[in-house]
Amino acid sequence: MAEVVIVPDAATAGAIVADEIARLVHANPDAVLGLATGSTPVPVYEALPARLAGVDMSRVRGFALDEYVGLDPSHPESYRSVITREVVEPLGLDPARVHVPDGSLEGIEHAGDSYERALAEAGGVDLQILGIGTDGHIGFNEPGSSFASLTRVKTLTTQTREDNARFFDSIDDVPRHCITQGLGTILRARHLVLLAFGEGKAAAVAGALEGPVTASLPGSAIQLHPHATVVVDEAAASTLRFAEYYRYTFANKPAWQGL
Ligand code: F6R
């Protein structure tokens, strides 16, 4: 099962995950990073530049999980813009090596296959950062998504559109469709690192980690992955049945193991 790390706050989570990413990039200058958007990964992205100062980032590649369909890429809340602002610029990555699914309406029927091809050509993702939606989605794989799914267009649930309305002027501006890596795509990454903060995520986290493996809670797919790490604050961990065991395990973990 996933290793669960319970931390006091989001900044501590960001530091732990940024340390792991820095270790990866130091060991492999060709590392391929899987990038999430939304609020959750921000503490990781904020902690990274200090850890990677002076490191040659010119060969590092990145793949975003998802993008809104029909939102102009220059819109400040397109995931292309968010990844550029939060990751590409602060880390000095080569923009040509950082991919975001193409959410343009023209050619959308082929965009999923093209993205899967680009991922395969890059050799797959080494470390995939994940958040989780209050309805249990990872990427934008909403409840009911197949565990075998690859990058494709999905319809956002009303709950997800309401949750994401905070990034837009009004809920009417939140796109109804997205293009997202599938659960099958995400499960191919070599290391999954899921973060979650706040009480609002507690039910989704408990379901994903300790509930049945079910397409009704897409985050539960991580139970199928041989190397998954879940970093949560106390509030997001508040309904975990085995929380004491997770704390004990992490406190007694040999330092050489890393995350
Ligand atoms: C974003 C993504 C989503 C978010 C999730 C949580 O690329 O794939 O799964 O991680 O919606 O969003 P936040 O972090 O804003 O709570």
Side-chain angles (χ1 to χ4, degrees):
M1 73 162 290
E3 171 172 46
V4 184
V5 186
I6 302 172
V7 294
D9 49 42
T12 309
I16 289 176
V17 176
D19 280 345
E20 184 62 20
I21 294 172
R23 245 196 309 274
L24 170 68
V25 173
H26 277 116
N28 177 11
D30 294 302
V32 181
L33 304 177
L35 304 166
T37 44
S39 306
T40 306
V42 170
V44 178
Y45 299 148
E46 285 177 349
L48 271 175
R51 285 163 175 79
L52 292 169
V55 175
D56 176 14
M57 300 294 287
S58 63
R59 280 151 55 194
V60 171
R61 277 166 294 190
F63 283 86
L65 278 170
D66 38 25
E67 178 59 288
Y68 292 112
V69 168
L71 194 64
D72 194 289
S74 68
H75 187 289
E77 294 307 329
S78 79
Y79 286 168
R80 163 63 71 189
S81 295
V82 172
I83 292 286
T84 302
R85 197 164 61 230
E86 294 181 356
V87 185
V88 174
E89 289 173 353
L91 293 184
L93 298 184
D94 175 357
R97 295 172 86 83
V98 178
H99 304 257
V100 179
D102 186 353
S104 326
L105 290 172
E106 198 181 328
I108 191 71
E109 62 275 34
H110 306 297
D113 288 347
S114 310
Y115 205 63
E116 289 292 330
R117 258 196 312 279
L119 274 160
E121 279 164 19
V125 168
D126 290 307
L127 186 152
Q128 176 65 57
I129 301 169
L130 296 169
I132 187 164
T134 55
D135 67 0
H137 68 236
I138 54 173
F140 272 143
N141 294 280
E142 298 286 28
S145 295
S146 162
F147 283 6
S149 52
L150 301 178
T151 306
R152 75 241 183 268
V153 172
K154 288 289 287 180
T155 304
L156 296 170
T157 61
T158 302
Q159 189 175 332
T160 299
R161 292 185 64 242
E162 285 170 0
D163 287 349
N164 286 10
R166 68 189 191 281
F167 295 112
F168 294 84
D169 290 340
S170 110
I171 187 158
D172 299 327
D173 296 337
V174 184
R176 291 172 191 276
H177 295 95
C178 61
I179 174 165
T180 179
Q181 289 190 30
L183 294 174
T185 318
I186 291 169
L187 288 172
R188 286 179 188 160
R190 288 179 272 284
H191 184 191
L192 301 182
V193 179
L194 185 145
L195 300 105
F197 309 121
E199 210 183 327
K201 298 290 176 74
V205 167
L209 284 174
E210 297 177 341
V213 174
T214 168
S216 298
L217 205 153
S220 66
I222 66 167
Q223 294 180 42
L224 300 172
H225 197 282
H227 189 189
T229 307
V230 176
V231 188
V232 284
D233 68 2
E234 294 285 348
S238 56
T239 59
L240 287 174
R241 187 170 156 212
F242 302 114
E244 282 322 307
Y245 175 63
Y246 306 141
R247 288 184 217 279
Y248 175 82
T249 306
F250 190 64
N252 292 286
K253 183 175 172 150
W256 58 262
Q257 273 185 342
L259 269 193

